[in-house]
Amino acid sequence: MKLPYVLRGSFSSTRKYSSFNARKTFVEHFVNKHEHQFIKSSSVLPRADPSLSFVNAGMNQFKSVLLGTEEPAAPRVVNSQKCIRVGGKHNDLDAVGRDGTHHTFFEMLGNWSFADYFKEDACKMAWDLLTGPYNLDQEKFVVTYFGGDQKSKLKSDQDCADIWRSIGLKSRQIIPNGMSENFWEMGPVGPCGPCTEIYYNKGGKLMELWNLVFVEYERKEDGLLYLLPKKHVDTGMGLERLSRVLQNVDCNYDTDLFQPLFEITQKVSGKDKYSSSFGEEAILDTAYRILADHSRAISIAMADGIFPDQNYKLRKLVRKCFALSINVFQMNGNEILPHLVLKVTEILGETYPELRANLNRTVETLDQEYLLYLKMQSQAKSKWEALVEQFPALEALPDDHPGLEQAVLQVKDCKEISAELAFHLHTSLGVDKELIEGLAKCFNISVDLEGYQVNVDNQKKGSRATVGAEEKLLSENSVPPTGDESKYYWEYKNGHYIFPEHMDCKILALIQNKTLVNSVKAGSECDVVTDHTHFYHEAGGQVSDVGRLCSAKGTADIVDVQKHGKYVLHKVKVLEGELRHGDPSKLSLDCKHRLSCMQHHSATHLLNSALRKLIPNTYQRSCHVTQSYLTFDFTTPFSLKDEHVETIEDFVNEQIELALPIKRRVMSLQDLPENAVKRPGEHYPDIVSLITMGKEEQVSSEPCCGTHCNNTSDLLKFCILSTKSFGTGVRSVRATTGNLALTILQAGKEAEQEVLSLQSYLDSPEYDSFKASKEIKRMRAKFFEHDQIPLVVKRRLESWLKKIDKKVTQDNKNISRDILEKQVKELFLQQSDTMFVVSAFYSDSPEPLSLLRAQQMCSAEKPSLFISRDGDGCIRGRSYVPDIMLSEGFNAETWMQPVLNVFQAVGSPPKGKENKSVWMMKVKSGEELEDKKLVTKAVLEAENYARASLLLSTLKRKQ
């Protein structure tokens, strides 16, 4: 869809207190008056937390700070965090549109104190804002606090109650609550603490407005609570609810965050205006609300680099919008949504500039997603309808989940969904907890959700344990962290790289079988931790460095390097002597390996830039960089044609010839420039390296921890080796660069010359079609079975060889026909007066002799059985018995059986010949002399069988 106009300026509202100003006032209150540092919202893509599909709370980006594994950017922080809740514990999806408060996307305004201020200051700061700049009526507030819990042995939080009294609230406005309402916990384990919730009386109903959490405990694996060494404050207030209060409207959907979305929907669809009605019969207004809500979540998610093909929950939102547009608004499925995305960008674009930066990409993605939706609807409709017809209750389930059909087939015959089956459906088919419950309801069976959740939790714990085991082992034994800054240090002089080939170090730890050992002898493997290293560990898709570790007592090959937290682990194979804890050692880097990896990694960035320029709306899925090649997986609905491959190669090689500088800059993730290309789904650390290529106008700008060349000219050449397709919309490119690319390019030129020489041979007096066939087969194996020549050359050679092969094949067919006709004519002379015909034919032609043609040349009234040994490496057999002569004792199948026994083969009839009048055999040939012996024996066996069978048949007729 083409966008109707380009966004300029920011969204303005005529409301008395706009949502934009409500957000702005909140941030300024804490920054200017209370010395907080503003931290911009993190992406809704969770950072290093695979347990979440989206960031669903304001505290997500500070989770590691609360856990004590990361230092905060400042002791006092404020922000407005983008959040999406779809599924899981915080599932607002089913309620969205049906009430006035639930949303899939919302903004959480929050202020944090990390071991700085605590309860009193937090309450006073909140109260000052609510009653000061927001000017809300003090009499309409009610606050709750934690009233204690005997089971947990926690006393009532009287300090909090006293603070509110000192601020000026009356006793009737201060209410104690229990554990479930006023004790916040991050999860089954982790930081937690009492909270105080601020409510506002809106139209006679109390509405929760702000939650202030006092993080002072940690719940451990034993279920008990322990005091934290540092206390924190974590607060959260939803912008949508705040806007509702400040704008004095009845529900969130009546605020300036949603009303413009209703207006654009009505304008595009021509339906009746939104009327704020609720209930079962308010189908149109409910659809208005769902479209508006989902369009906000879709816009935010896609702007943050989350796409439907990666995230089923996002795809679910998109397809629900398509369905509503079709079924309720009677529009083309993707006719309304792009307009809503545009309006969302207008409303929120100044606060979240990524919406503007990625607007075109979002709209193009929706176009592609709609085409995929239509295709899916067409293909899956009949299969799903058949299942629904068999099991009508399935109609209540969404029909667009890619794994649901298989899940139904696995569940339909079960008496219950066990914990193991539920876990399998979740991990293998992507079926979430809600769908599993839906399946159980449809088939009226029970489901072990408790056991399922245990399996899910164990998987998460197992993953965390595997990742952290080595780090925990080393940390508990007070092993100092590894200094690895030197991996980015080298000299660059006149295009030559001078790496610190050797580095002195000390062995701090030896790990075998997840246990620290004092020594490791020759022939064994282990992980070695040193105090310093200049080896690059595997990261960013790039393989690790390799090399050698030498001490006075032993020598080892370093075959892999991994980083676990603060430690770099060198995986080694001890070659001689032994490695001992504490020994001074020397690390020796394989410099050629390192340089080749650098060349391929820099080429990967140029390839990414080329793809983004050539193909609209493409993005990186993953990459793998080695010393020999690179692979780059990316999304696109289009196939890569020859002209695309050549265009990509030309672009990359042009950048190489321009000799562009490649620079690395270390910066905060928040300071990344807007043009920096981030990989969707990638979890970046707070401090990143920005790799740029180019001068004033940058060709490439990506955050990346890999090692790179200093100049594009050092890549020498670039060529694509192959491309692959992985399912719908995912492609992969395999390429190489450097000296390897030069070698491949030269091999391509030589291959072209070989094929041209073969073409010339076809026109020469020495031309032999049999030899030409063998040469074509050799060339195909040499050029096409391995990535030994450039892809563009490979495809060109495929076309050339196809034309050559067509001529050679026809020549061979003509020769085979002539050979067959000659041998059949000789056969006629020998067996013209026999009751049946049995014979063997021999040919060196790569084209097999046609035994069908041989039988057609014979009398249709006479049984025949022919065997051929052809030049294509096969022995074939074909038996024929006229219909009038068929019997249980003598037919094509029984006649072929003695031949099959000789070759230990299995026969079969041709298609359409089920009456046993024709039977066939095909086996691989072996050594020529041995084959001739077997063929001779088979002919003899066939003759004997036919002779005996026909004689018996004659005797029966006479009787």
Side-chain angles (χ1 to χ4, degrees), residues 252-464:
N252 296 357
Y253 288 102
D254 294 334
T255 67
D256 62 350
L257 290 167
F258 293 93
Q259 286 294 313
L261 302 178
F262 300 151
E263 291 167 7
I264 199 70
T265 301
Q266 193 277 327
K267 182 179 179 181
V268 173
S269 69
K271 289 288 184 180
D272 293 341
K273 289 184 178 181
Y274 176 73
S275 61
S276 298
S277 60
F278 290 84
E280 292 294 326
E281 296 182 359
I283 296 174
L284 181 61
D285 277 3
T286 300
Y288 265 114
R289 288 188 289 270
I290 293 173
L291 273 181
D293 172 90
H294 288 11
S295 67
R296 284 163 36 99
I298 290 165
S299 301
I300 289 291
M302 290 194 187
D304 278 349
I306 303 175
F307 294 91
D309 68 325
Q310 293 177 304
N311 189 303
Y312 170 69
K313 292 179 179 179
L314 176 59
R315 173 163 280 170
K316 187 176 181 179
L317 296 184
V318 172
R319 291 184 173 178
K320 191 169 184 179
C321 289
F322 291 159
L324 285 173
S325 297
I326 295 169
N327 299 328
V328 179
F329 291 94
Q330 284 80 50
M331 302 286 290
N332 175 301
N334 196 33
E335 202 162 348
I336 300 175
L337 191 53
H339 290 277
L340 289 173
V341 169
L342 189 65
K343 183 58 71 172
V344 170
T345 303
E346 184 182 340
I347 297 170
L348 300 178
E350 183 170 340
T351 304
Y352 306 115
E354 59 272 17
L355 283 164
R356 291 174 173 172
N358 297 305
L359 176 59
N360 286 332
R361 185 180 71 181
T362 299
V363 173
E364 288 167 357
T365 299
L366 290 175
D367 288 341
Q368 293 175 17
E369 193 64 20
Y370 185 55
L371 293 176
L372 189 63
Y373 172 77
L374 292 176
K375 183 179 179 181
M376 182 278 302
Q377 291 284 86
S378 174
Q379 292 177 343
K381 192 174 181 181
S382 58
K383 291 182 180 179
W384 182 253
E385 283 179 349
L387 284 173
V388 172
E389 186 175 347
Q390 186 180 0
F391 308 106
L394 290 174
E395 197 165 4
L397 298 182
D399 59 359
D400 57 351
H401 191 294
L404 188 56
E405 183 186 331
Q406 279 298 317
V408 169
L409 296 176
Q410 293 187 33
V411 166
K412 64 184 181 67
D413 296 322
C414 296
K415 294 182 179 179
E416 69 165 353
I417 300 179
S418 65
E420 292 72 22
L421 177 56
F423 186 65
H424 167 74
L425 296 176
H426 171 68
T427 56
S428 300
L429 300 176
V431 180
D432 59 22
K433 182 180 177 182
E434 289 78 14
L435 267 181
I436 293 172
E437 288 181 288
L439 282 169
K441 186 177 180 181
C442 287
F443 290 100
N444 196 26
I445 56 178
S446 62
V447 55
D448 184 1
L449 289 176
E450 186 175 338
Y452 159 78
Q453 194 59 49
V454 169
N455 285 335
V456 171
D457 293 340
N458 286 341
Q459 183 191 42
K460 292 176 183 177
K461 289 178 182 178
S463 174
R464 286 195 294 267

Side-chain angles (χ1 to χ4, degrees), residues 448-489:
D448 184 1
L449 289 176
E450 186 175 338
Y452 159 78
Q453 194 59 49
V454 169
N455 285 335
V456 171
D457 293 340
N458 286 341
Q459 183 191 42
K460 292 176 183 177
K461 289 178 182 178
S463 174
R464 286 195 294 267
T466 300
V467 171
E470 291 83 356
E471 182 182 11
K472 185 178 180 181
L473 174 68
L474 294 165
S475 179
E476 287 177 348
N477 284 274
S478 302
V479 177
T482 311
D484 66 340
E485 301 83 4
S486 300
K487 64 177 179 281
Y488 293 128
Y489 297 162

Side-chain angles (χ1 to χ4, degrees), residues 483-530:
D484 66 340
E485 301 83 4
S486 300
K487 64 177 179 281
Y488 293 128
Y489 297 162
W490 58 79
E491 289 186 63
Y492 182 67
K493 294 182 179 179
N494 302 319
H496 294 285
Y497 291 82
I498 305 170
F499 298 100
E501 191 171 348
H502 304 291
M503 172 176 277
D504 292 329
C505 63
K506 182 179 180 181
I507 297 177
L508 299 182
L510 298 167
I511 303 175
Q512 267 190 327
N513 300 320
K514 298 183 180 179
T515 304
L516 292 178
V517 296
N518 289 320
S519 63
V520 179
K521 297 184 181 297
S524 299
E525 297 182 4
C526 70
D527 291 323
V528 180
V529 180
T530 58

